[in-house]
Amino acid sequence: SYVLTQPPSVSVAPGQTARITCGGNNIGSKSVHWYQQKPGQAPVLVVYDDSDRPSGIPERFSGSNSGNTATLTISRVEAGDEADYYCQVWDSSSDHYVFGTGTKVTVL
Amino acid sequence: EVQLVESGGGLVQPGGSLRLSCAASGFTFSSYWMHWVRQAPGKGLVWVSRINSDGSSTSYADSVKGRFTISRDNAKNTLYLQMNSLRAEDTAVYYCARMSGSYNGAFDYWGQGTLVTVSS
């Protein structure tokens, strides 16, 4: 089965840039979506199709995808960005949907 | 405004059954593929099941295949998850989610979740 690997945690100072990676075999050939989940809340879509943002999501959130790694970048990090972040893809070989292991972003 | 409201969670004994519902509003329910995603306490998101817009095609995670059944009633704007032969490891918050597009679309709207606890 297809596996997506994320770092368990990323720490960043306010105003700096956070980069969250999502590793998977030839992930560059897939559409990657990213979700933000704050404690006790449902996930929220922040980036879809590798690099597009839903309406209402700040431009500070951006994404890229190439080779075996997709990346979610949060620029000018704010305290409100502290949350868990998950990447997600569709595995066409199994018709299953796969989430990454999740990354906890801590704002110092 | 798009709304997804889950219900039906609760405490059930191992081997028991439960049916979850997800009431949809604010969009044309019959046009969208829908999913169930779960999250065990303190753990990450895990995809459970998917159904296409008219209910003719479904897919399941290996961990629930043969025990869970996803279905929908487009006349009632409601998504269901019938869960049988429940195990302790099925304990989780279950979310319903709408998918934009088909197959590789994103989960663009989520419900607030309903907690299922499997314990004796």
Side-chain angles (χ1 to χ4, degrees):
Chain A
S1 60
Y2 194 78
V3 175
L4 294 175
T5 303
Q6 299 180 233
S9 62
V10 167
S11 297
V12 58
Q16 299 304 303
T17 298
R19 293 180 179 84
I20 304 163
T21 58
C22 175
N25 184 36
N26 197 27
I27 194 173
S29 66
K30 302 179 182 298
S31 290
V32 180
H33 316 300
W34 291 91
Y35 304 89
Q36 175 194 70
Q37 186 181 34
K38 296 181 179 179
Q41 297 184 19
V44 172
L45 178 68
V46 293
V47 167
Y48 66 97
D49 291 348
D50 298 341
S51 58
D52 290 332
R53 276 185 316 278
S55 60
I57 300 301
E59 291 183 8
R60 301 184 297 103
F61 289 83
S62 62
S64 63
N65 183 20
S66 179
N68 292 318
T69 304
T71 303
L72 175 69
T73 301
I74 311 173
S75 304
R76 302 180 298 283
V77 166
E78 302 174 355
D81 299 330
E82 194 163 274
D84 294 326
Y85 291 82
Y86 297 89
C87 56
Q88 177 258 314
V89 301
W90 174 59
D91 177 24
S92 59
S93 64
S94 62
D95 190 19
H96 286 183
Y97 296 77
V98 182
F99 286 94
T101 48
T103 298
K104 181 176 181 58
V105 170
T106 300
V107 180
L108 300 170
Chain B
E1 178 194 6
V2 173
Q3 284 198 330
L4 297 170
V5 179
E6 301 94 337
S7 61
L11 175 64
V12 60
Q13 293 187 339
S17 299
L18 213 54
R19 188 177 84 156
L20 305 183
S21 299
C22 171
S25 60
F27 65 102
T28 305
F29 179 70
S30 60
S31 296
Y32 286 86
W33 293 32
M34 299 294 295
H35 294 255
W36 288 99
V37 177
R38 69 185 181 184
Q39 186 170 38
K43 303 298 184 181
L45 301 173
V46 176
W47 172 77
V48 173
S49 184
R50 174 224 89 203
I51 189 167
N52 69 345
S53 56
D54 66 5
S56 62
S57 173
T58 59
S59 181
Y60 298 92
D62 292 345
S63 59
V64 307
K65 193 168 186 177
R67 300 188 299 123
F68 290 12
T69 302
I70 190 172
S71 63
R72 64 193 297 161
D73 186 334
N74 285 343
K76 294 183 178 180
N77 292 338
T78 303
L79 174 72
Y80 302 101
L81 185 68
Q82 176 67 42
M83 304 186 295
N84 298 332
S85 303
L86 283 161
R87 307 166 179 167
E89 54 265 38
D90 296 319
T91 294
V93 173
Y94 284 74
Y95 296 99
C96 65
R98 188 184 86 166
M99 188 168 80
S100 61
S102 62
Y103 289 110
N104 64 348
F107 302 161
D108 59 355
Y109 286 93
W110 298 65
Q112 84 290 348
T114 187
L115 176 63
V116 172
T117 303
V118 184
S119 174
S120 55

